[in-house]
Each structure stands twice: as structure tokens, then as C-alpha cells.
Amino acid sequence: MKFTDSPVIELKVRDKTLAIEQDNGSMHVGTSVWPCSLVLVKFLERWLLSNSSSSSSSSSSTTPKPYTHLLNFSGKKAIELGCGCGPAGMGLFLLGLENIILTDITPVMPALKRNLKRNKPVLGKNLKISQLYWNNLDQIKTLNPPFDFVIAADVVYIEESVGHLVSAMESLVSDTGFVLLGYQIRSPEAHKLFWELCENVFVIEKVPHDDLHPEYAYEEADVYVMKKKMAN
């Protein structure tokens, strides 16, 4: 997927516009804005606005509303893994997921902090951030899991980190919570291992492409919803 090399990527969420500064020339992938984060935010926005609109119509009591189980953000607790510059976490905050922690590794923190400062007038507050290495159990414990939502977008690209990622997801999400994943194949080896491990832990639902936001339904990008498998 080709994506813009512009130094600033704009993402409109409801009636507000985030301006995300990226640095494609840095040594860290987390300082670029990756498409799956935008795809994930706009998918949720599409159905949040659609369901809100249908609630005001007379047929709302008899018409099923898609994805309502994902859209009740009130009072919910969330964490984003590998948030990079922060577009997904900031976008979901604007959609009502207000109790969210954005996490990434140390080298990415300056880019994240820069973007949170840049967008504070839009966000209206400082969002919570935390350094997190997926294999650091002490850091995971400090975050005080479990979470109702674990958010991740474009985080599967190094085979060696996949096991740690899946373990972190499992440790952080509650038994009744959801992992919301924006996904694109970056490495065939990482892709194969990731889904093998996920199938052992999670019930996996792939969102149909027709359900993505029509302006953000990139051919290579997908959205998945995962829940923990419960023991019989």
C-alpha cells in the first residue's frame, strides 16, 4: 500500500480534525503514520454515527444495529499497543473512548508526545501514555489490567516480537473485553505465526470489507475483532 509522504497527516473524526506529524526518515517505524490506524478509527466512526442516526428514527426498535457491542465506550477502560504517533488512540478518544492509555517503546515516545501536544487543543486534555515493551511483565502489571479494549494497528511485522505481542494482548484484555486490530501483512513469517498463536487464545472475527468506511477501505488493510476463548 502506498501512503502519503506528507510530513503531516490529517484525520477527521466527527467534527474535529487531528493533525499527525510523521517522520518517515527516522530509524523507527513508530514515527510514521500507518494506514491501518486510520482504517480502524474510521470503521468505528462509521458505525457509531450510523447507529446514532438510526436511534433517532422510528424503525430503530426493530432494526438490528451492527457492531453495537463494540461501540459502548462509556465507562470503558482501554489501552493501545504500539501506538506510534498516536492517531488510533487519539481518534478513539474523540469517539468517546476517553479512558485510554497510549503505549509504545522508549524511542517512539518523543514523536508521540509531540503529537499529543500538537493536538491538545482538539483533544481538550493530555492523554495518558506509558512506555511498554510487550515482554516486560512488570510494565504490564503496572498498567493495572484488565482492559475492556486492547487496541493495536499495524503492529505485526517482526516475527521475533509476535509471541510477546499475543501474550501481552492476552494479559491485558479482560475475559469479556475486545481486541480491536487494524491489520496488514508486513511479513509472511510474522503473519503466519501471529495467527497461529491468536487462534489458540482468541475467537477471531474479520470485519467484512464492505463494513469499513468507504473512503478508508484500503485493499490491503483489514480490521479484526478478537475475544478471549473461554474454557469449557
Side-chain angles (χ1 to χ4, degrees), residues 18 30 39 51 70 90 116 133 145-146 155-156 187-188 190 212:
L18 296 166
V39 172
N51 289 351
L70 299 181
M90 286 191 274
L116 289 172
Y133 288 80
V155 292
V156 182
S187 155
L212 301 180

Coordinates of all heavy atoms in Angstrom, one line a residue, residues 18 30 39 51 70 90 116 133 145-146 155-156 187-188 190 212:
L18 N -7.7 15.8 13.5 CA -6.4 15.6 14.1 C -5.3 15.9 13.0 O -5.5 15.5 11.9 CB -6.2 14.2 14.6 CG -7.2 13.8 15.7 CD1 -7.2 12.2 15.9 CD2 -6.7 14.4 17.0
G30 N 7.7 3.5 14.3 CA 6.6 4.1 15.0 C 6.5 5.6 14.8 O 5.6 6.2 15.3
V39 N -7.8 3.3 9.2 CA -8.8 2.4 8.8 C -9.7 2.0 10.0 O -10.9 1.9 10.0 CB -8.2 1.2 8.1 CG1 -9.3 0.1 7.8 CG2 -7.6 1.6 6.8
N51 N -25.3 4.1 13.8 CA -26.2 3.6 14.8 C -26.8 4.8 15.6 O -28.0 4.7 16.0 CB -25.4 2.7 15.8 CG -25.1 1.4 15.1 OD1 -25.5 1.1 14.0 ND2 -24.2 0.6 15.8
L70 N -19.4 -3.3 20.2 CA -18.1 -2.6 20.2 C -18.2 -1.1 20.5 O -17.2 -0.5 20.7 CB -17.5 -2.8 18.8 CG -17.2 -4.2 18.3 CD1 -16.6 -4.1 16.9 CD2 -16.3 -4.9 19.3
M90 N -5.8 8.6 19.7 CA -6.4 9.9 19.7 C -7.8 9.9 19.0 O -8.8 10.5 19.5 CB -5.5 11.0 19.0 CG -4.3 11.4 19.9 SD -3.4 12.8 19.2 CE -2.3 12.0 18.1
L116 N 0.7 14.6 20.7 CA -0.3 14.8 21.8 C -0.3 16.3 22.1 O -1.4 16.9 22.3 CB 0.0 14.0 23.0 CG -0.3 12.5 22.9 CD1 0.2 11.8 24.1 CD2 -1.7 12.2 22.6
Y133 N 7.2 -2.4 26.8 CA 7.8 -3.4 26.0 C 6.9 -4.7 26.2 O 6.7 -5.0 27.4 CB 9.2 -3.6 26.3 CG 10.1 -2.5 25.9 CD1 10.2 -1.3 26.6 CD2 10.9 -2.6 24.7 CE1 11.0 -0.3 26.2 CE2 11.7 -1.6 24.3 CZ 11.8 -0.4 25.1 OH 12.6 0.6 24.7
P145 N -4.1 -4.0 34.5 CA -5.1 -4.7 33.7 C -6.1 -5.4 34.6 O -5.8 -5.5 35.8 CB -4.3 -5.8 32.9 CG -3.0 -6.0 33.7 CD -2.8 -4.7 34.4
P146 N -7.2 -5.9 34.1 CA -7.6 -6.0 32.7 C -8.2 -4.7 32.1 O -8.7 -3.9 32.8 CB -8.5 -7.2 32.6 CG -9.2 -7.1 33.9 CD -8.2 -6.6 34.9
V155 N 0.9 -3.6 13.9 CA 1.9 -4.0 14.8 C 2.6 -5.3 14.6 O 3.5 -5.7 15.3 CB 1.4 -3.9 16.3 CG1 1.0 -2.5 16.7 CG2 0.2 -4.9 16.4
V156 N 2.2 -6.0 13.5 CA 2.7 -7.4 13.2 C 3.6 -7.3 12.0 O 3.2 -7.3 10.9 CB 1.5 -8.4 13.0 CG1 2.1 -9.8 12.7 CG2 0.5 -8.4 14.1
S187 N 5.0 -9.1 7.0 CA 6.0 -10.1 6.9 C 5.2 -11.5 6.8 O 4.5 -11.7 7.8 CB 6.9 -10.1 8.1 OG 7.5 -11.4 8.4
P188 N 5.4 -12.3 5.8 CA 4.7 -13.6 5.7 C 5.0 -14.5 7.0 O 4.1 -15.1 7.4 CB 5.3 -14.2 4.5 CG 5.7 -13.1 3.6 CD 6.2 -12.0 4.6
A190 N 5.9 -13.5 10.1 CA 5.2 -12.9 11.3 C 3.7 -13.1 11.1 O 3.1 -13.4 12.1 CB 5.5 -11.4 11.4
L212 N -16.2 -1.5 6.2 CA -15.2 -0.5 6.5 C -15.7 0.9 6.0 O -16.7 0.9 5.2 CB -13.9 -0.8 5.9 CG -13.2 -2.1 6.4 CD1 -11.9 -2.3 5.6 CD2 -13.0 -2.1 7.9

